Amino acid sequence: MSSNYKDTLCLPKTSFPMKANLRAKEPEMLEFWARINAYEAMVQASPADSRYVLHDGPPYANGHIHLGTALNKILKDIVVKSANMRGQRAEYVPGWDCHGLPIEHKVAQEIKKEKLDLNTLQIRQRCREYAETYLDIQREEFKRLGVFGVWDDPYMTMKPAYESATASELGEFMSTGSAYRGKKPVHWCCSCKTALAEAEVEYYDASSPSIFVRFPLPDEKFAKLLPPEAAEKAANAPAYAVIWTTTPWTIPDNMAVAAHPEFEYSIVLAGGGVYVVASQLLPTLVDRFHWADREVLAEVPGSALEGLEARHPFYDRPSPIVLADYVTLDAGTGLVHTAPGHGREDFETGVRCGLDIYSPMDDEGRFLPSVEHFAGMNVTEANPEVIKLLTEKGHLLAQEKISHSYPHCWRCKQPVIFRATTQWFISMETNGLRKRALDAINNEVRWIPSWGRERIHSMIENRPDWCISRQRNWGVPIIALICKDCDTAYHDGEWVKSVAARFKDHPLGCDAWFEADVKDIMPEGLVCPKCGGTNFVKEDDILDVWFDSGTSFSAVVEQRPECAFPADLYLEGSDQHRGWFHSSLLASIGTRGVPPYRAVLTHGYVVDGEGRKMSKSIGNVIAPQQIIDKHGAEILRLWVSAVNYQEDVRISDEILTRLVDAYRRIRNTARFLLGNLADFDPAADCVDFGEMNPIDRYYADLLLRRRETMVNAFSSFEFHKVHHTLHNLCVTDLSAFYLDIVKDRLYVEDRDGAPRRAAQTVLWIALQTMLEAMAPILSFTAEEIFQHLADPLRAAMAAADAATVFGVRPSLPAPFLEKAERDRFESILAVRAEANRAAEPVRKRGDVGKSLDCSLTIQAPEELLDALRMDGLDLEELFIVSKLELRGQDHKEALPNELVSDEIEGLRIGVAPAVGDKCERCWRIDEHVGKAGREGVCPRCAGVLERLPS
RNA sequence: GGGCCUAUAGCUCAGUUUCGGUUAGAGCGCACGCCUGAUAAGCGUGAGGUCGGUGGUUCAAGUCCACCUAGGCCCA
């Protein structure tokens, strides 16, 4: 009986399922998008004359994607999709970084396992295949995330055209004179006869000799550091600076002694000599050197020692004292033996102080014939001989053995040495590269967040010249010819570019260089400008992979029709201030004079729920695939949108569980809107704001304001603001307020009557607002909603032929309500909140159940009563009660279950069960039920039933 | 060891800039109710915070300064 009238209601109707079943649905949606080419449809729906160029930083084609790469790609996808949704054509050309050591390593391991002996071209082919394999794997993984782009035509740094562009940019640096050949110490394996990159070096403990050596210090200026009486005592004793080293074999290549400018040094009279050592280390040294009767003559800061001329302990040459702030007091003497050809810091000191970068060794680590005492000896052989010679000269103060962490070759496990080698560099100064880059950082690029500016600025400010050469196979060759007779390099820029141009037309790109005979490459009649020789060999170094990716502006942004130089945005993790942002800036400033990007956006790292980095050893690594398998890629996308990615972002089971909850809420809200819009045709049924009641007007305006907030948040890349706004919109604005309020009207009133159509008009605005905000983030769900829209709705939202939500460009009006009207309505909502509070104890007692059971009496000051008496406002509807009465302050008797408001001065609310019978159709309680000619229903419902078509 | 960054309810975020100024906010989750016409839904109420720590400036500090702790990125 009670359900007799259910069929006469307009209840929601939709085929949109409550349960998302993302794991199963997402692959279907991806297929659908591929079939209709949704990416292309999205791009084509945006005008070509308003472009937005996000240039993809290429991930390395090795291994599976991880949460960091997923975060990065999803952020890019949100940027691209939101740009299109706002009407800017943003195309996305994904790329991969293919050359370089990690791949060459893996391939080398395979080759070793298979016991093969391959030449350069064969190795390169294996590397190429390896990169392709992982590129394909990653491409599928990225697509699975719902990321849109030209996946069937990505850029790759190993494609012939790309390699040609890279080599050509090198030619440009050669032309301007910025590129040069120079010396630099690198890790060197004497048994493999090769340079090793940092990644190829393994550290483990080894035993080394540890020796303390005195360097004669016969400098007149030294005596001036002593007070007069001390100088007298020292007058007849020879002076020495004392150093410590664990690599005796580098003593022959010593060029200086380094002191820390701020440490205090003691000048000590002991054993007939005057010694300089760091004061703090003196006690340990006294024991070690058995200085029983020592006397400290003076204490001076390291800076006072600068420029004193010590002498090499066995060669007749100076070894000046220089200053360096890497000197420590952990061990040794506080004075550091400096061999610029054999250590990284030593090298930098050498460059800074104009020392010779001296490293007279061959590829096997044997001293050259020119080296007195040690010619032909390798490191192991030279160590005892150096110690022997120092002992003979009387300069060895102590000798021990020490076990410490020492670098070894990853391949042959032998200890490695530092050796100065010939490398190629791009000068930071020659053409003012450093200064121009710093200017661009300060004036021409927007850094988001703003501290990115300072970070990259200090890196560029302090970096040494860019070493662009690697002694490897898998990369773009450094195009140059080396004179066999005098080791001079020929690298004319135009010639380099002409060789680079050939790579474009070779099926394997720069393999052209490796397979070519030098005769076919060298310019006709080339003569060495230095020695007049004509015997040249090809340079066999390759380029640093950062040079490869750093020239993507040339290979991709300038060339692809989807892009335009300079790019609007580069978007990567904050590690790329040193990496890709850095190399791209130098390459572009160096060859184009302008930065390659207008803005640079960085995101943080993905860390676990406690803020710790993910690592295999801690066992806290979460793979994207795990999350996709459990929750779906959509939840991962929602996570990206929810967190503030400018800082490190946390992920954990709890965080994901919360996001699943949020997802369900958003989905259900959309479902409710769909259900209640099933019979709505915007073209025919929309009601003007001017004809709506105050509730509809307020919420229509509120939705438009929320939309404005979200559109702005997208523009400023504050996606977490979009997320919070969208979620609050669903939870509070819609579910807890508007939807709850207008359910009555939607279900009960005349299907085609103005009151119901007005509510639907607001729902229609809500749905469009949601779809617009969801599409870039919750792409799968937005599309699913779009596909469930009834035809008239879809036609109203998109061009008639739009087959995908990404073809939609909603046109909604700006917010329209005057502030005064908003404020007035909000003061009424504040009373509503108090009414809820008042009803709670009555409900707890069981006197009333749902809100509609209640009858409210509101007593308030006249001013507030005026506000409540708003034209056209049905307070019973707004408060969702069956009866509501207002009364003035002059009433003194207490109200039933009275609540005296703490929040609003003078407000009292009484709550009682409403009087009358429950209308079987609308469930309101009314005194006139059954009295309007229909059994069990109120007069309002009787009227509606009367008008129903039979 | 150096440069840059981060720290506000169990979780995700507001509030800090240009102006330091009532009782530090939201949503989720949680607890307790209600509803059964959004139903593996929906509504209501409530309890949760020494604003990482210490010290300083000030009439007044989540907000400004110094130091410390924990964590992250990049270097050494």
Side-chain angles (χ1 to χ4, degrees):
Chain A
M1 157 116 184
S2 66
S3 65
N4 276 356
Y5 294 108
K6 188 165 178 178
D7 297 340
T8 70
L9 298 170
C10 306
L11 292 176
K13 204 181 143 199
T14 179
S15 54
F16 184 80
M18 179 177 274
K19 198 167 180 330
N21 197 12
L22 292 168
R23 292 163 46 184
K25 290 262 194 64
E26 283 172 356
E28 291 171 23
M29 188 61 82
L30 290 167
E31 260 175 56
F32 168 73
W33 280 335
R35 197 164 62 240
I36 64 164
N37 202 348
Y39 166 72
E40 196 57 31
M42 171 179 82
V43 168
Q44 291 305 327
S46 309
D49 56 359
S50 172
R51 281 193 175 274
Y52 190 82
V53 181
L54 165 66
H55 178 43
D56 188 38
Y60 197 67
N62 183 19
H64 290 264
I65 68 167
H66 50 82
L67 276 178
T69 34
L71 168 71
N72 177 259
K73 277 290 197 280
I74 292 171
L75 283 173
K76 285 170 176 164
D77 193 46
I78 295 174
V79 168
V80 166
K81 284 174 179 162
S82 62
N84 278 296
M85 297 298 282
R86 86 170 87 94
Q88 280 190 287
R89 181 175 289 197
E91 303 187 56
Y92 182 58
V93 183
W96 271 274
D97 197 5
C98 306
H99 294 134
L101 191 64
I103 287 175
E104 198 172 341
H105 254 185
K106 292 280 185 188
V107 167
Q109 281 167 354
E110 289 175 10
I111 291 172
K112 195 176 169 192
K113 220 168 152 187
E114 296 165 34
K115 296 191 164 50
L116 297 174
D117 184 23
L118 303 183
N119 65 26
T120 299
L121 291 170
Q122 290 167 319
I123 292 170
R124 287 175 58 84
Q125 184 54 31
R126 294 280 295 243
C127 289
R128 194 172 288 119
E129 287 161 9
Y130 186 96
E132 272 164 6
T133 301
Y134 277 98
L135 190 154
D136 287 340
I137 288 171
Q138 293 186 357
R139 170 161 44 198
E140 290 313 307
E141 291 172 337
F142 287 142
K143 283 161 78 171
R144 178 64 186 81
L145 299 173
V147 176
F148 278 16
V150 280
W151 292 111
D152 52 1
D153 187 20
Y155 80 85
M156 308 173 199
T157 59
M158 65 179 181
K159 273 189 188 169
Y162 194 110
E163 290 179 333
S164 174
T166 300
S168 181
E169 296 310 316
L170 173 67
E172 189 59 31
F173 276 108
M174 299 284 199
S175 289
T176 60
S178 283
Y180 70 93
R181 270 213 317 168
K183 295 259 183 186
K184 184 188 180 182
V186 296
H187 284 294
W188 185 272
C189 177
C190 302
S191 77
C192 303
K193 290 186 261 183
T194 178
L196 298 176
E198 197 54 54
E200 294 173 307
V201 173
E202 298 173 353
Y203 289 83
Y204 32 87
D205 279 354
S207 172
S208 298
S210 160
I211 60 170
F212 292 81
V213 181
R214 65 184 194 189
F215 280 47
L217 193 53
D219 194 315
E220 291 166 8
K221 293 194 291 285
F222 178 64
K224 292 181 185 155
L225 296 175
L226 299 171
E229 63 273 29
E232 224 166 280
K233 288 184 192 168
N236 296 317
Y240 301 98
V242 185
I243 65 93
W244 170 66
T245 183
T246 56
T247 52
W249 62 270
T250 60
I251 296 277
D253 299 341
N254 172 283
M255 288 294 151
V257 173
H260 196 289
E262 284 152 30
F263 292 168
E264 187 190 76
Y265 290 85
S266 293
I267 297 171
V268 187
L269 180 63
V274 176
Y275 295 92
V276 183
V277 296
S279 302
Q280 198 180 312
L281 291 163
L282 181 58
T284 66
L285 296 174
V286 163
D287 293 344
R288 190 171 263 130
F289 302 153
H290 311 294
W291 284 346
D293 54 340
R294 85 264 179 198
E295 182 182 355
V296 177
L297 301 178
E299 290 179 328
V300 299
S303 54
L305 302 171
E306 187 180 17
L308 292 179
E309 193 179 286
R311 304 293 299 178
H312 194 278
F314 48 72
Y315 293 135
D316 182 21
R317 65 169 190 246
S319 180
I321 295 182
V322 297
L323 298 181
D325 53 16
Y326 54 79
V327 176
T328 69
L329 298 172
D330 301 342
T333 65
L335 291 171
V336 173
H337 151 57
T338 300
H342 295 294
R344 196 153 287 168
E345 290 170 329
D346 298 30
F347 168 73
E348 275 158 27
T349 302
V351 170
R352 187 161 46 82
C353 301
L355 306 173
D356 193 3
I357 312 301
Y358 186 56
S359 185
M361 317 191 91
D362 65 15
D363 288 356
E364 289 177 62
R366 293 184 182 280
F367 280 104
L368 298 179
S370 59
V371 179
E372 192 185 352
H373 304 302
F374 309 106
M377 291 183 194
N378 68 21
V379 168
T380 325
E381 294 159 357
N383 266 340
E385 292 303 314
V386 169
I387 292 170
K388 196 173 146 203
L389 185 58
L390 286 168
T391 310
E392 283 169 22
K393 298 277 182 188
H395 292 323
L396 188 74
L397 294 180
Q399 177 188 351
E400 295 157 11
K401 283 269 176 202
I402 186 177
S403 175
H404 62 157
S405 173
Y406 193 84
H408 293 73
C409 174
W410 69 289
R411 203 184 167 118
C412 69
K413 312 300 178 195
Q414 294 296 309
V416 304
I417 64 169
F418 255 107
R419 176 187 178 215
T421 53
T422 301
Q423 304 288 348
W424 288 87
F425 298 85
I426 289 174
S427 168
M428 293 300 295
E429 326 300 342
T430 302
N431 289 301
L433 180 55
R434 190 188 313 274
K435 188 184 175 308
R436 290 193 292 152
L438 293 175
D439 282 351
I441 287 167
N442 285 338
N443 305 317
E444 292 170 55
V445 180
R446 179 179 164 212
W447 302 93
I448 312 161
S450 56
W451 49 258
R453 166 173 287 126
E454 198 181 340
R455 186 168 155 94
I456 194 168
H457 190 278
S458 72
M459 286 173 179
I460 299 269
E461 196 169 32
N462 296 317
R463 66 157 299 148
D465 285 352
W466 184 2
C467 178
I468 55 168
S469 53
R470 298 289 184 274
Q471 291 69 52
R472 288 281 139 199
N473 294 308
W474 182 226
V476 177
I478 291 183
I479 300 168
L481 299 172
I482 311 295
C483 172
K484 265 175 153 172
D485 302 319
C486 71
D487 194 42
T488 297
Y490 170 77
H491 53 96
D492 173 76
E494 291 311 307
W495 169 75
V496 172
K497 286 185 216 170
S498 74
V499 175
R502 295 195 204 177
F503 298 171
K504 231 180 342 214
D505 304 320
H506 190 287
L508 297 178
C510 58
D511 270 24
W513 172 262
F514 296 95
E515 67 190 23
D517 192 290
V518 66
K519 295 265 182 308
D520 299 331
I521 278 183
M522 62 187 279
E524 206 159 315
L526 181 66
V527 172
C528 174
K530 189 173 173 196
C531 72
T534 54
N535 288 319
F536 287 90
V537 289
K538 291 182 290 181
E539 169 64 87
D540 48 32
D541 286 4
I542 59 166
L543 279 164
D544 176 14
V545 288
W546 287 113
F547 193 89
D548 286 28
S549 56
T551 50
S552 62
F553 68 87
S554 157
V556 181
V557 182
E558 287 182 340
Q559 294 186 24
R560 296 279 297 234
E562 300 97 330
C563 309
F565 181 86
D568 288 295
L569 188 69
Y570 279 30
L571 192 175
E572 308 296 331
S574 58
D575 55 332
Q576 298 304 328
H577 285 118
R578 166 127 342 236
W580 190 54
F581 303 146
H582 192 116
S583 60
S584 297
L585 180 70
L586 293 181
S588 181
I589 294 280
T591 59
R592 302 294 187 278
V594 291
Y597 36 67
R598 294 196 173 96
V600 170
L601 181 60
T602 50
H603 57 79
Y605 268 60
V606 180
V607 294
D608 72 10
E610 271 71 55
R612 286 170 203 282
K613 75 166 137 191
M614 294 194 173
S615 80
K616 278 183 191 162
S617 58
I618 304 176
N620 59 349
V621 179
I622 303 175
Q625 198 58 49
Q626 280 174 266
I627 296 171
I628 293 169
D629 289 346
K630 192 168 174 193
H631 303 293
E634 194 80 320
I635 299 302
L636 201 52
R637 298 182 64 95
L638 191 62
W639 168 72
V640 170
S641 81
V643 296
N644 180 358
Y645 61 81
Q646 298 193 356
E647 302 162 9
D648 289 335
V649 289
R650 297 182 178 207
I651 197 162
S652 66
D653 283 341
E654 180 179 2
I655 292 169
L656 288 167
T657 305
R658 290 293 90 82
L659 287 164
V660 169
D661 291 338
Y663 174 80
R664 263 203 295 268
R665 187 52 170 254
I666 294 168
R667 184 179 177 90
N668 268 328
T669 305
R671 180 168 182 269
F672 183 84
L673 296 177
L674 277 175
N676 283 289
L677 286 166
D679 63 348
F680 185 71
D681 176 1
D685 301 329
C686 272
V687 174
D688 288 344
F689 298 137
E691 288 165 24
M692 290 176 168
N693 76 28
I695 298 175
D696 299 333
R697 281 168 60 80
Y698 177 79
Y699 282 99
D701 178 75
L702 180 64
L703 287 163
L704 295 171
R705 282 188 286 132
R706 297 282 189 252
R707 174 184 186 238
E708 211 167 55
T709 301
M710 292 193 284
V711 167
N712 290 338
F714 271 123
S715 297
S716 53
F717 311 111
E718 296 169 295
F719 308 133
H720 64 290
K721 282 194 184 164
V722 177
H723 174 264
H724 280 277
T725 305
L726 177 65
H727 189 230
N728 269 307
L729 178 85
C730 292
V731 172
T732 305
D733 302 335
L734 290 175
S735 283
F737 284 87
Y738 191 68
L739 301 183
D740 208 26
I741 291 163
V742 297
K743 263 184 227 174
D744 175 83
R745 231 194 294 160
L746 289 166
Y747 299 171
V748 172
E749 295 285 355
D750 296 296
R751 177 175 295 276
D752 202 30
R756 183 165 178 274
R757 291 308 189 196
Q760 284 180 309
T761 302
V762 179
L763 299 195
W764 175 231
I765 292 170
L767 188 61
Q768 291 179 88
T769 301
M770 282 183 68
L771 271 187
E772 188 184 27
M774 286 172 70
I777 297 166
L778 295 167
S779 299
F780 292 99
T781 308
E783 186 71 271
E784 191 185 351
I785 293 167
F786 185 73
Q787 297 304 330
H788 279 87
L789 285 178
D791 289 340
L793 296 168
R794 207 195 292 201
M797 195 169 201
D801 60 343
T804 164
V805 71
F806 302 102
V808 163
R809 300 291 177 269
S811 73
L812 288 165
F816 57 90
L817 219 51
E818 298 291 335
K819 185 167 186 304
E821 193 176 344
R822 279 207 320 259
D823 289 349
R824 182 174 173 192
F825 195 84
E826 277 159 18
S827 70
I828 298 171
L829 288 179
V831 175
R832 187 183 188 263
E834 291 295 88
N836 278 332
R837 205 164 289 153
E840 190 63 18
V842 188
R843 179 178 303 146
K844 278 254 156 66
R845 221 180 304 131
D847 292 351
V848 297
K850 61 178 184 293
S851 180
L852 262 187
D853 296 343
C854 298
S855 165
L856 298 183
T857 308
I858 295 173
Q859 175 172 321
E862 210 48 43
E863 203 179 309
L864 184 53
L865 289 179
D866 278 348
L868 285 162
R869 293 186 190 110
M870 191 182 257
D871 266 357
L873 175 61
D874 180 342
L875 283 172
E876 285 158 2
E877 180 187 26
L878 180 63
F879 283 59
I880 321 182
V881 293
S882 286
K883 183 89 183 156
L884 188 148
E885 283 180 358
L886 301 177
R887 76 180 200 188
Q889 295 289 61
D890 45 337
H891 290 81
K892 293 296 173 225
E893 76 278 18
L895 292 160
N897 302 304
E898 183 178 80
L899 172 112
V900 180
S901 174
D902 290 336
E903 304 289 321
I904 301 169
E905 182 83 40
L907 177 68
R908 291 160 183 265
I909 299 177
V911 181
V915 177
D917 297 313
K918 178 176 167 185
C919 168
E920 287 169 22
R921 185 166 178 275
C922 73
W923 292 352
R924 277 204 200 188
I925 293 166
D926 191 286
E927 292 170 75
H928 305 287
V929 165
K931 293 177 186 166
R934 291 260 188 173
E935 192 74 12
V937 301
C938 67
R940 174 178 64 149
C941 286
V944 175
L945 290 170
E946 212 54 50
R947 291 187 290 276
L948 267 185
S950 47

